[in-house]
C-alpha cells in the first residue's frame, strides 16, 4: 500500500518544486492579451459588400436558426432612393441579446449572404441589462474606405438581386 | 512608576505584540500560501492589490467584514457563536510559551523576549491548549444543525484525537534530551548540543505529520474536504465567523510552526544570537516561514487521504513509530550519556 512507501511522496514533492521555477503561464490580462485563433467565435459583425451596401437582407433565417432565440430581425422595403442592401428588403431592426447568445455560430451558417459573422471581440462586459441588447448600429461594420454609407440613392435597376451571383472559384 | 506596574505593562505590551504578530502572520500566511501554490501550479497568484499583491490580505479582510452573517434558524445559537472563538483563541495563546529570544535591552530596560519563556510546564500547556480547539470544531459541527457540518465536525474530532497521541509522544524525545518541559530550556539544550532535528530526525518527521493533521492541513484536511462535505464543520458559517475559523487554522499553522521550530530547529538559536539578542525573533521568524513553506508545499502536492486510511495511518503507523522513537531516544541517551 502506498502509505507505507514514502518514495512516491518524495517524487511528487520533487515534481511540484520543479514547477515553482518554471515560467508562469499566466497572462496579465488587461495589459497583455491573447491572440485569438482565426476561428474564434466572439461578438457578431454585420458585414458590408465592397461597395458599402449592407449584406443583410432581413430574411431572419439567423433568427430561425438561433437555438437560444437571441436574435430579433425586422425587415423593411428597400427602394432605389433609400437603399441599404441589394434586393427588396433590408434589416431595419437587427438585435442580438448577448445575455442569451451562446456563440454557437449557427446564425453564421444560416445566413444566405454571409452577412452575419462571429468576430474576435470578447470584451463585452456591461453593467446594465439593457446594454446586453446589441443593435444594428453596434453590430454593423463601418463602410469600406472611400465608400458611402447606407442608406444611399442608387441608379434604378442595378441592385435587384438579394443574393449575389455565385461564381466558380478560378 | 514602580517595578510592579512596569512589569504588568511590559507583559501587556508583549502579549499585544505577540497577538498582533500572530494576526499579521495569519494574514500573510494566506498570501504566502496563495503565491506559493500559484507558483506550484505555474501561475502567478494574487499580484494586483498593492505592490506585488501585498495588500491582498487586507482586501480579503475588508471583504469578509462587510459580508452578511447568517445564523441558521435551527442552529443552537450560543454554541454556534462560541465555536469560532474556541477554535481561534487557543491558536493564539499557544504562542505564549514560545520563546523569541533571551534577555534583550529595550530602551534601557532589560526585557525577556517572549511572554513566558521558562514556564516549567510549557509543553503540557501547549498540549492542553491545542486540545481545546477540538471542542470548537465539534461544537461548530453540532450547533449548525446540518448533516454535513456534523459529519465534518465528527471526522475532525476523531482525526485530531487520533493524531494527538502521536503528537504528544513526539514531544517526548526533545523533552528527554533537554531534561525539561520548558521551551526556553529546550532551546538552550539545542544551543549547547545540536539542533534536535539532527539526532531526532524520525521524531521530527512524525511530529510534523502529526502537526499537519492537528491543524487540519492537506493531506489531512478531512474535516473540510470541500469535495465530499461541502465545507465540513464550517458549512453554515459566513462573514466574520467564518473568517475566525479560517484565522484559527492559519494562526494554528503559524503557532505550531513556531513550536516545531522551537523543539527541533533550535528556536531562536542561530549565529551571533548571544551577542545580538534581537536576532532571536528574526531567526525564529525565518524558521517559521520555512515550516509554513513546507506545509504549503505538501498541500500543493499530496491528495487527501481516504478516511479509513487516515485512521489506519494514525493508529497503525504513526503511533508505533512515535513509541519506537521514544524508546530509541532513551537508548541513545543512556548509551551516549547525553
Amino acid at each position: 500500500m502506498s502509505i507505507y512507501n514514502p518514495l512516491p511522496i518524495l517524487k511528487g514533492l520533487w515534481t511540484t518544486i520543479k514547477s515553482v521555477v518554471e515560467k508562469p503561464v499566466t497572462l496579465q490580462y488587461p495589459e497583455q492579451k491573447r491572440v485569438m485563433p482565426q476561428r474564434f467565435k466572439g461578438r457578431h459583425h454585420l458585414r458590408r459588400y465592397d461597395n458599402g451596401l449592407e449584406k443583410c437582407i432581413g430574411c431572419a433565417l439567423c433568427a430561425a436558426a438561433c437555438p437560444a432565440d437571441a436574435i430579433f430581425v425586422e425587415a423593411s422595403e428597400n427602394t432605389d432612393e433609400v437603399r441599404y442592401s441589394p434586393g427588396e428588403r433590408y434589416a431595419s431592426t437587427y438585435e442580438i441579446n448577448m445575455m442569451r447568445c451562446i456563440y454557437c455560430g449557427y446564425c453564421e451558417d444560416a445566413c444566405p449572404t454571409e452577412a452575419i459573422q462571429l468576430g474576435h471581440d470578447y470584451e463585452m462586459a456591461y453593467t446594465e441589462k439593457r446594454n446586453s441588447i446589441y443593435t444594428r448600429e453596434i453590430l454593423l461594420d463601418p463602410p469600406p474606405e472611400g465608400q458611402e454609407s447606407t442608406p444611399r440613392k442608387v441608379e434604378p435597376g442595378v441592385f435587384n438581386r438579394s443574393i449575389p451571383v455565385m461564381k466558380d472559384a478560378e | 512608576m514602580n517595578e510592579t506596574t512596569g512589569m504588568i505593562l511590559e507583559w501587556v505590551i508583549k502579549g499585544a505584540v505577540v497577538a498582533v504578530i500572530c494576526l499579521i502572520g495569519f494574514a500573510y500566511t494566506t498570501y504566502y500560501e496563495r503565491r506559493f501554490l500559484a507558483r506550484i501550479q505555474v501561475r502567478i497568484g494574487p499580484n494586483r492589490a498593492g505592490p506585488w499583491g501585498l495588500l491582498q490580505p487586507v482586501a480579503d479582510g475588508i471583504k469578509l467584514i462587510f459580508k452578511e452573517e447568517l445564523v441558521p434558524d435551527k442552529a443552537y445559537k450560543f454554541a454556534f457563536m462560541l465555536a469560532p472563538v474556541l477554535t481561534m483563541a487557543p491558536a493564539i495563546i499557544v504562542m505564549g510559551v514560545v520563546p523569541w529570544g533571551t534577555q534583550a535591552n529595550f530602551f534601557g530596560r532589560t526585557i525577556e523576549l517572549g511572554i513566558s519563556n521558562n514556564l516549567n510546564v510549557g509543553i503540557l500547556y501547549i498540549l492542553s491548549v491545542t486540545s481545546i480547539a477540538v471542542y470548537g470544531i465539534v461544537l461548530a459541527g453540532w450547533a449548525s444543525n446540518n448533516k454535513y457540518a456534523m459529519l465534518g465536525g465528527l471526522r475532525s474530532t476523531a482525526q485530531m484525537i487520533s493524531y494527538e497521541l502521536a503528537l504528544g509522544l513526539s514531544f517526548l524525545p526533545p523533552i528527554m534530551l533537554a531534561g525539561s518541559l520548558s521551551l526556553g530550556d529546550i532551546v538552550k539544550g539545542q544551543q549547547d548540543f545540536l539542533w534536535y532535528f539532527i539526532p531526532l530526525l524520525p521524531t521530527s518527521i512524525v511530529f510534523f505529520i502529526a502537526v499537519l493533521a492537528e491543524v487540519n492541513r492537506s493531506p489531512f484536511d478531512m474535516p473540510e474536504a470541500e469535495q465530499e462535505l461541502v465545507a465540513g464543520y464550517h458549512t453554515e458559517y459566513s462573514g466574520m465567523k467564518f473568517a475566525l475559523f479560517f484565522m484559527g487554522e492559519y494562526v494554528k499553522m503559524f503557532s505550531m510552526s513556531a513550536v516545531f521550530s522551537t523543539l527541533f530547529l533550535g528556536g531562536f538559536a542561530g549565529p551571533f544570537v548571544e551577542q545580538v539578542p534581537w536576532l532571536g525573533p528574526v531567526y525564529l521568524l525565518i524558521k517559521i516561514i520555512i515550516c509554513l513553506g513546507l506545509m504549503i508545499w505538501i498541500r500543493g502536492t499530496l491528495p487527501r487521504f481516504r478516511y479509513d486510511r487516515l485512521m489506519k495511518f494514525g493508529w497503525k503507523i504513526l503511533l508505533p513509530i512515535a513509541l519506537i522513537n521514544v524508546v530509541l531516544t532513551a537508548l541513545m541517551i543512556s548509551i551516549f550519556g547525553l
Side-chain angles (χ1 to χ4, degrees), chain B residues 120-136:
Chain B
N120 57 2
V121 288
I123 285 182
L124 287 182
Y125 172 86
I126 292 174
L127 276 170
S128 46
V129 160
T130 51
S131 306
I132 297 174
V134 183
Y135 289 104

Side-chain angles (χ1 to χ4, degrees), chain A residues 1-4 8-9 11-14 16-17 19-31, chain B residues 36 38-45 47-48 294 297-302 305 309-310 312-313 316-317:
Chain A
M1 218 166 82
S2 64
I3 53 173
Y4 292 101
I9 292 177
K11 225 171 124 186
L13 287 170
W14 174 241
T16 43
I17 207 70
S19 60
V20 169
V21 292
E22 266 175 51
K23 190 176 174 289
V25 294
T26 312
L27 272 162
Q28 296 286 321
Y29 164 60
E31 292 89 31
Chain B
F36 194 7
R39 294 294 318 161
I40 283 175
Q41 295 158 4
V42 206
R43 296 184 287 118
I44 297 175
N47 65 345
R48 293 279 159 167
L294 206 56
W297 182 17
I298 288 170
R299 179 183 168 180
T301 309
L302 299 180
F305 270 95
R309 291 199 181 161
L310 174 100
K312 203 175 188 176
F313 184 64
K316 290 191 176 170
I317 302 177

Side-chain angles (χ1 to χ4, degrees), chain B:
Chain B
M1 194 164 67
N2 63 31
E3 197 45 42
T4 325
T5 21
M7 202 68 171
I8 292 171
L9 205 62
E10 184 190 315
W11 280 37
V12 167
I13 291 172
K14 278 197 299 196
V17 167
V18 169
V20 166
I21 287 175
C22 273
L23 293 178
I24 293 174
F26 148 69
Y28 282 92
T29 308
T30 63
Y31 172 76
Y32 181 28
E33 170 158 47
R34 290 174 67 181
R35 282 309 280 263
F36 194 7
L37 278 182
R39 294 294 318 161
I40 283 175
Q41 295 158 4
V42 206
R43 296 184 287 118
I44 297 175
N47 65 345
R48 293 279 159 167
W52 305 289
L54 278 173
L55 294 178
Q56 188 66 41
V58 182
D60 290 343
I62 291 171
K63 184 200 83 172
L64 279 168
I65 287 168
F66 284 106
K67 284 258 176 174
E68 184 184 1
E69 286 203 32
L70 290 170
V71 180
D73 196 32
K74 297 268 170 58
Y76 187 74
K77 302 281 182 319
F78 178 70
F80 192 79
M81 303 283 180
L82 185 67
V85 181
L86 273 186
T87 322
M88 171 70 190
I92 288 191
I93 58 179
V94 165
M95 289 301 278
V97 290
V98 174
W100 288 85
T102 44
Q103 311 275 319
N105 191 9
F106 185 68
F107 293 118
R109 190 186 159 90
T110 309
I111 57 165
E112 196 180 33
L113 296 172
I115 297 172
S116 60
N117 290 353
N118 293 312
L119 182 66
N120 57 2
V121 288
I123 285 182
L124 287 182
Y125 172 86
I126 292 174
L127 276 170
S128 46
V129 160
T130 51
S131 306
I132 297 174
V134 183
Y135 289 104
I137 286 170
V138 76
L139 265 184
W142 174 74
S144 307
N145 213 343
N146 171 318
K147 59 188 167 199
Y148 296 112
M150 185 74 203
L151 280 173
L154 286 178
R155 278 175 154 205
S156 172
T157 320
Q159 174 187 325
M160 287 168 91
I161 289 172
S162 305
Y163 280 79
E164 212 144 84
L165 287 169
L167 187 69
L169 282 173
S170 302
F171 271 112
L172 279 178
I175 299 172
M176 288 154 79
L177 273 183
S180 166
L181 278 172
S182 138
L183 288 169
D185 290 345
I186 288 174
V187 174
K188 212 175 291 149
Q190 296 180 72
Q191 276 174 319
D192 300 339
F193 179 46
L194 270 172
W195 289 4
Y196 285 165
F197 86 96
I198 301 166
L200 302 176
L201 189 63
T203 313
S204 56
I205 292 169
V206 170
F207 187 90
F208 195 81
I209 294 172
V211 162
L212 283 180
E214 193 63 18
V215 301
N216 296 329
R217 291 289 299 173
S218 189
F220 306 100
D221 55 346
M222 205 63 52
E224 284 153 53
E226 300 92 341
Q227 295 87 346
E228 300 154 37
L229 294 170
V230 190
Y233 59 89
H234 56 58
T235 308
E236 296 292 349
Y237 284 86
S238 51
M240 217 45 212
K241 284 205 278 294
F242 165 73
L244 273 183
F245 277 120
F246 197 55
M247 260 156 113
E249 182 182 331
Y250 281 85
V251 172
K252 211 167 166 195
M253 261 171 87
F254 189 80
S255 47
M256 288 312 271
S257 295
V259 172
F260 180 80
S261 314
T262 308
L263 287 181
F264 295 101
L265 303 180
F268 59 81
F272 305 116
V273 80
E274 279 89 359
Q275 289 82 5
V276 192
W278 283 108
L279 276 175
V282 177
Y283 286 141
L284 185 59
L285 211 56
I286 290 171
K287 286 166 187 170
I288 289 174
I289 289 170
I290 291 170
C291 284
L292 288 174
L294 206 56
M295 286 181 178
I296 296 164
W297 182 17
I298 288 170
R299 179 183 168 180
T301 309
L302 299 180
R304 188 177 303 126
F305 270 95
R306 209 171 68 195
Y307 192 67
D308 59 325
R309 291 199 181 161
L310 174 100
M311 281 298 163
K312 203 175 188 176
F313 184 64
W315 288 100
K316 290 191 176 170
I317 302 177
L318 224 49
L319 185 62
I321 293 178
L323 275 170
I324 292 168
N325 282 336
V326 174
V327 175
L328 285 181
T329 316
L331 281 176
M332 193 168 81
I333 290 169
S334 55
I335 291 168
F336 297 108
L338 296 168

